[in-house]
């Protein structure tokens, strides 16, 4: 048995240690048996390891659950978060106030809608005047092209038929262009022939006059 360290409080002799030392000194129990009895049993060691693994697995499951809860909170933050809910409540409250004001003025609004708005000035703040000028230009342009746009929309169902007609018209135009070119070539040839005939007529007339003279004066 190892000697006790006088500077270590844990190594100070106690009654159990003195008793075990006396038993070992008397030879009743060997020191090897006491050393074996100090070692942990493998079964209990494995049990403690299994308990540690179980505890770690439970901690991992708890962390995974917390992660899933955080993800769910992030996905539903715009629905359940107090700040978002407060903003939505304010928006709904303002809409509710507006609808209440509309319902209170329902009769006057109905009369105003039934009354024509011709030759009336709508009050617009000075800040928005330049935007109104641009808006009026766009409105005038849109009204000018409205009939064209409507005609285009009406022709959309007949687009295939119109394309076929255009193809046939282009084919006819190609034929007419070819015939026109041929006619132009024929006209040029005819002009050349007329020039040749015109140049030969004086000679023929001179020959006829000469022959006539010869016949008259033998």
């Amino acid at each position: 048995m190892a000697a006790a360290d006088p500077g270590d409080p844990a190594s100070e002799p106690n009654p159990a240690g003195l008793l075990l030392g006396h038993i070992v000194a008397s030879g009743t129990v060997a020191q090897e048996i006491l050393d074996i009895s100090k070692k942990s049993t493998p079964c209990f060691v494995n049990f403690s390891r299994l308990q540690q693994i179980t505890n770690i697995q439970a901690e991992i499951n708890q962390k995974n659950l917390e992660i899933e809860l955080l993800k769910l909170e992030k996905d539903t933050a715009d629905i359940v978060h107090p700040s978002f809910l407060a903003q939505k409540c304010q928006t709904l409250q303002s809409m509710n106030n507006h609808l209440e004001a509309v319902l209170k003025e329902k009769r006057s609004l109905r009369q105003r809608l039934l009354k024509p708005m011709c030759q009336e000035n709508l009050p617009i703040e000075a800040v928005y005047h330049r935007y109104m000028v641009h808006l009026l230009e766009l409105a005038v342009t849109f009204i000018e092209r409205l009939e064209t746009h409507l005609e285009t929309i009406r022709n959309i169902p007949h687009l295939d038929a119109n394309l076929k007609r255009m193809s046939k018209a282009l084919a006819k135009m190609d034929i007419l262009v070819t015939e026109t070119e041929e006619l132009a070539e024929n006209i040029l040839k005819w002009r050349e022939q007329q020039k040749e005939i015109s140049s030969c007529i004086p000679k023929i007339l001179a020959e006829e006059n000469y022959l006539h003279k010869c016949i008259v004066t033998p």
Side-chain angles (χ1 to χ4, degrees):
M1 189 173 179
D5 187 4
D8 189 2
S11 62
E12 293 180 357
N14 51 24
L18 293 175
L19 179 60
L20 289 175
H22 182 70
I23 293 172
V24 170
S26 63
T28 305
V29 178
Q31 183 66 34
E32 290 79 6
I33 296 174
L34 292 177
D35 293 337
I36 291 171
S37 64
K38 290 181 181 179
K39 296 180 180 180
S40 301
T41 307
C43 177
F44 292 103
V45 173
N46 293 333
F47 180 76
S48 63
R49 289 180 181 176
L50 181 62
Q51 186 65 31
Q52 291 177 358
I53 292 171
T54 305
N55 294 335
I56 292 171
Q57 188 66 35
E59 186 176 357
I60 291 171
N61 294 333
Q62 182 67 25
K63 296 298 180 182
N64 290 332
L65 181 60
E66 291 177 359
I67 291 171
E68 292 295 330
L69 290 175
L70 290 174
K71 289 181 179 179
L72 182 62
E73 184 179 358
K74 180 181 178 182
D75 295 336
T76 59
D78 57 342
I79 301 175
V80 298
H81 201 275
S83 61
F84 292 102
L85 290 176
Q87 293 178 1
K88 290 184 177 182
C89 289
Q90 291 177 359
T91 305
L92 290 174
Q93 186 64 34
S94 63
M95 292 176 63
N96 188 21
N97 295 333
H98 179 69
L99 291 174
E100 287 179 357
V102 170
L103 291 175
K104 288 179 181 178
E105 302 294 333
K106 180 174 66 174
R107 181 176 297 176
S108 61
L109 288 173
R110 184 179 295 173
Q111 293 177 356
R112 185 175 178 182
L113 291 173
L114 292 175
K115 183 181 177 181
M117 299 292 293
C118 298
Q119 297 179 355
E120 291 189 4
N121 296 326
L122 298 176
I124 299 174
E125 297 181 6
V127 181
Y128 304 108
H129 283 182
R130 57 175 182 173
Y131 301 111
M132 287 303 301
V133 172
H134 182 61
L135 181 61
L136 289 174
E137 291 177 356
L138 293 177
V140 170
T141 305
F142 176 76
I143 292 170
E144 289 177 351
R145 300 178 180 176
L146 179 61
E147 190 61 32
T148 305
H149 296 330
L150 292 175
E151 189 65 26
T152 304
I153 293 171
R154 294 192 195 99
N155 291 332
I156 287 175
H158 309 288
L159 188 60
D160 294 335
N162 292 335
L163 289 175
K164 291 179 180 178
R165 291 176 184 174
M166 289 179 64
S167 299
K168 292 180 180 179
L170 289 173
K172 290 181 180 179
M173 190 178 293
D174 291 336
I175 295 170
L176 291 174
V177 168
T178 305
E179 292 178 354
T180 305
E181 290 177 353
E182 293 178 355
L183 183 60
E185 291 178 358
N186 294 330
I187 290 172
L188 291 175
K189 291 179 180 179
W190 181 78
R191 284 183 178 179
E192 293 293 333
Q193 292 174 359
Q194 291 297 321
K195 287 180 181 179
E196 292 177 358
I197 292 171
S198 298
S199 62
C200 294
I201 286 174
K203 294 179 181 180
I204 295 171
L205 292 175
E207 291 178 356
E208 286 182 354
N209 290 331
Y210 177 75
L211 291 173
H212 182 68
K213 291 178 181 180
C214 290
I215 294 170
V216 172
T217 57

